[in-house]
Amino acid sequence: MDSVSQGDFLSPDLSTVQQKVENSDTPGQHAVNTSGDNGLEMKIHTGSNDTKQLTAPPPVASEDAGDENVETRVFKRRWLMLGLFCLYSFSNSFQWIHLNIIANVILRYYNTSLPGDTLQQETAVDWLSMVYMLAYVPLVFPATWLMDSKGLRVCNVVGSFLNAVGAWVKCASVSPDRFGVLMFAQTICSVAQIWVLGMPAPLAAAWFGPDEVSTATSLGVFGNQVGAAVGFLLPPVLVPNSPDLDQVGWDISVMMYVTAGVTTAIFIAILIGYRDQPPVPPSRAQLVAIQTTEGQNYLSSLGRLIRTLPFVLLVISYGVNVGCYYAIATLLNSVVLEYFPGEEENAGRIGLTIVITGIIGAVLAGIWLDKTRTFKGTSLGIYFLSMACMVVFTFTMDTGHIWVVFITAGSFGFFMTGYLPVGFEFAAELTFPEPEGTSSGLLNASAQIFGIIFTLGMRAMMNRLSVLGANIAVCVALLLGTVMTALIRANYKRQAAGGEEKGNRLRDLFGWCCCFRHQSDIANKQ
């Protein structure tokens, strides 16, 4: 049965089976007619000589399958699609943070084209990161519409193209009086990012089977986090805080040109190698999603999502968690240098530690979800541990030992970054069969809004109060997010749809067994 899956055939439904025992023309024999509401009928002949015969018509395709043979299958090329997306995500995430991790160097180099007030100067440099968050909020809705209507390939090609264009414009911004050009280039890269954050869940659903989808989502997030890790690690090494501004300009220029070359190569690879979706769906849940959402209106889907209370709670709690991560990543240079002056390279390494441990957490969380399907319990546990580790990080910064910061920062990175794919998958379960791109787009929009709020709030508190006060505010926000996550009512719709086929097969197997058992009982009574 290669062309049609077993789940696409109907078997007797025991709840509607009508059995009738009739005397046959042959003495001592009986015929059992078994029929159900699907029209399938089978006749069992029994006799006193224990000779039995089962007669049944061949399987009949279900109405759901229509006139076409329906099958589910995964293709080896799915790993190529995931790898190409991860490269695109990697390069875009690198460009998000590679300037802010050397914020003090950027502040010195572009000083002549920055505002005069210290807070305004620092905030202007912070906007090199926050522009990613700002651009996402208004553009997520047309971007999601484009993903739902035109498919994943178009979004990957357009996004990787803008990513490369932004990198080349940065090459033209290397001059102390061109901070505006640098901001414009970063804005182009931020537009390229609008498809990066929402892509892992729909890509995983489109290409990967039910036992791989959470792991694939985690790997999609993995590419983004590796880009951030390299963005934390390399810039402090490539652009040291040299007193010679000409040398600083040369170092920045080298970093920009290398980035432009890499992003261009990634764009060409995606243009040539990326495919929108496989010829047949990889899972029954994806098949149901395609049939259900076919021809649906995007605004109608959006309206249904915002009327789903558990999903709304998840949107807010997810935004708080990821927004805190964005704020800490953006301001990490300032936070570390406040306690450990002159440790620019270690600030980058601490950021690397946060991301690397987060990558491990994300992958392990994806594997855990594929094995257990405990979406709410996993979300709540990770959220609580993120808050607990942030509390430890906050109150150990002033110990004077930077190795302690590495440990505590790595701990909250493991859970806070590991929460990213868990949130995507939990949302997909709560909102099935709505498109994953729509639900993940709303999650990311919330994260960007809270990221801007927390970054601006932390910067203001750091300048006017203290770094400690800013970190305590983050801890309080994570506590509120934990409580909100606990209030979410779990309703695993996608899991139920994916298990429907298995349930039907078990029911059908049980039906056939009972028919044979009934036939055997009749034979024994003869």
Side-chain angles (χ1 to χ4, degrees):
M1 200 172 293
D2 296 332
S3 60
V4 183
S5 64
Q6 295 178 2
D8 294 323
F9 293 106
L10 295 177
S11 298
D13 188 339
L14 291 182
S15 64
T16 59
V17 166
Q18 298 175 347
Q19 294 181 338
K20 182 179 180 182
V21 180
E22 300 176 338
N23 292 328
S24 66
D25 294 337
T26 306
Q29 289 186 336
H30 297 280
V32 180
N33 289 335
T34 306
S35 61
D37 59 358
N38 54 20
L40 181 63
E41 183 174 345
M42 58 185 176
K43 181 178 288 187
I44 304 171
H45 297 283
T46 66
S48 59
N49 58 356
D50 293 334
T51 301
K52 311 175 186 65
Q53 180 182 6
L54 174 65
T55 304
V60 179
S62 70
E63 295 179 359
D64 293 338
D67 296 330
E68 299 178 354
N69 293 333
V70 180
E71 66 175 342
T72 60
R73 178 185 171 191
V74 293
F75 295 81
K76 291 181 180 180
R77 76 183 77 165
R78 68 192 186 278
W79 297 109
L80 174 62
M81 303 304 110
L82 182 61
L84 289 173
F85 166 72
C86 285
L87 290 175
Y88 159 39
S89 179
F90 164 90
S91 61
N92 186 262
S93 182
F94 172 83
Q95 294 195 82
W96 163 56
I97 204 64
H98 72 147
L99 298 172
N100 289 90
I101 195 59
I102 53 171
N104 59 322
V105 179
I106 297 296
L107 197 63
R108 283 184 54 239
Y109 183 75
Y110 287 99
N111 186 264
T112 58
S113 54
L114 289 171
D117 181 74
T118 301
L119 177 59
Q120 292 179 351
Q121 288 180 343
E122 293 174 344
T123 303
V125 174
D126 292 341
W127 273 109
L128 291 171
S129 168
M130 288 191 292
V131 69
Y132 267 61
M133 310 172 202
L134 181 65
Y136 189 90
V137 176
L139 294 178
V140 62
F141 301 106
T144 305
W145 171 84
L146 185 66
M147 184 185 298
D148 292 341
S149 60
K150 301 299 181 181
L152 301 179
R153 172 179 164 77
V154 171
C155 296
N156 275 285
V157 170
V158 173
S160 59
F161 173 74
L162 291 174
N163 198 43
V165 169
W168 282 108
V169 175
K170 285 181 183 180
C171 296
S173 70
V174 184
S175 178
D177 61 345
R178 296 180 185 174
F179 183 80
V181 178
L182 180 64
M183 181 61 73
F184 174 68
Q186 191 74 342
T187 302
I188 297 175
C189 295
S190 71
V191 176
Q193 176 231 9
I194 59 178
W195 291 289
V196 168
L197 298 180
M199 189 74 71
L203 188 152
W207 282 95
F208 288 82
D211 295 331
E212 301 173 328
V213 65
S214 294
T215 302
T217 302
S218 299
L219 292 175
V221 175
F222 170 86
N224 191 266
Q225 297 306 309
V226 171
V230 177
F232 279 121
L233 179 65
L234 286 185
V237 177
L238 297 176
V239 189
N241 192 12
S242 172
D244 184 0
L245 287 185
D246 291 335
Q247 182 62 45
V248 171
W250 170 258
D251 294 337
I252 294 176
S253 182
V254 169
M255 181 174 69
M256 299 303 190
Y257 275 102
V258 171
T259 303
V262 171
T263 54
T264 302
I266 292 171
F267 163 67
I268 294 173
I270 289 176
L271 184 64
I272 295 173
Y274 197 88
R275 297 293 177 267
D276 189 51
Q277 59 184 5
V280 295
S283 66
R284 186 167 179 81
Q286 180 66 6
L287 175 62
V288 172
I290 292 173
Q291 294 173 340
T292 305
T293 59
E294 199 169 279
Q296 279 192 1
N297 182 276
Y298 171 71
L299 293 179
S300 299
S301 175
L302 190 63
R304 287 190 293 272
L305 289 179
I306 62 179
R307 289 193 299 269
T308 305
L309 180 58
F311 177 67
V312 172
L313 291 174
L314 179 61
V315 166
I316 298 173
S317 62
Y318 181 91
V320 170
N321 187 295
V322 182
C324 289
Y325 167 72
Y326 287 161
I328 294 169
T330 300
L331 301 175
L332 185 62
N333 175 270
S334 300
V335 170
V336 172
L337 295 183
E338 175 71 19
Y339 291 97
F340 303 95
E343 295 286 356
E344 289 89 357
E345 289 194 19
N346 271 328
R349 293 181 185 127
I350 291 171
L352 173 68
T353 302
I354 293 173
V355 176
I356 292 298
T357 56
I359 290 170
I360 298 172
V363 173
L364 291 179
I367 296 173
W368 171 261
L369 287 179
D370 278 334
K371 298 297 184 184
T372 66
R373 300 298 192 190
T374 54
F375 295 93
K376 179 181 175 178
T378 303
S379 298
L380 182 58
I382 291 178
Y383 214 122
F384 174 79
L385 292 171
S386 298
M387 178 202 65
C389 292
M390 184 64 200
V391 170
V392 176
F393 172 81
T394 298
F395 292 101
T396 56
M397 286 291 293
D398 59 352
T399 60
H401 302 289
I402 199 166
W403 61 268
V404 175
V405 181
F406 274 91
I407 295 174
T408 56
S411 299
F412 83 71
F414 179 85
F415 294 108
M416 192 174 288
T417 310
Y419 178 74
L420 298 177
V422 176
F424 285 149
E425 289 299 291
F426 194 13
E429 290 289 339
L430 294 174
T431 61
F432 184 87
E434 305 298 340
E436 289 88 351
T438 306
S439 60
S440 59
L442 290 173
L443 289 180
N444 286 313
S446 174
Q448 311 310 311
I449 293 171
F450 279 105
I452 293 173
I453 294 172
F454 291 150
T455 302
L456 292 175
M458 284 188 69
R459 172 62 73 185
M461 293 184 71
M462 287 165 59
N463 278 318
R464 298 174 181 174
L465 186 59
S466 66
V467 172
L468 176 63
N471 286 340
I472 291 176
V474 172
C475 295
V476 173
L478 290 173
L479 174 61
L480 296 176
T482 303
V483 173
M484 196 168 296
T485 302
L487 297 177
I488 298 174
R489 183 174 62 87
N491 185 8
Y492 301 155
K493 299 178 182 178
R494 184 180 65 177
Q495 187 173 330
E500 182 177 338
E501 180 177 0
K502 180 179 179 181
N504 285 339
R505 290 181 180 179
L506 290 175
R507 184 199 68 189
D508 295 344
L509 177 62
F510 179 69
W512 287 105
C513 290
C514 286
C515 290
F516 280 110
R517 174 64 181 274
H518 185 76
Q519 176 264 341
S520 179
D521 290 342
I522 293 175
N524 291 333
K525 292 179 181 178
Q526 296 300 316

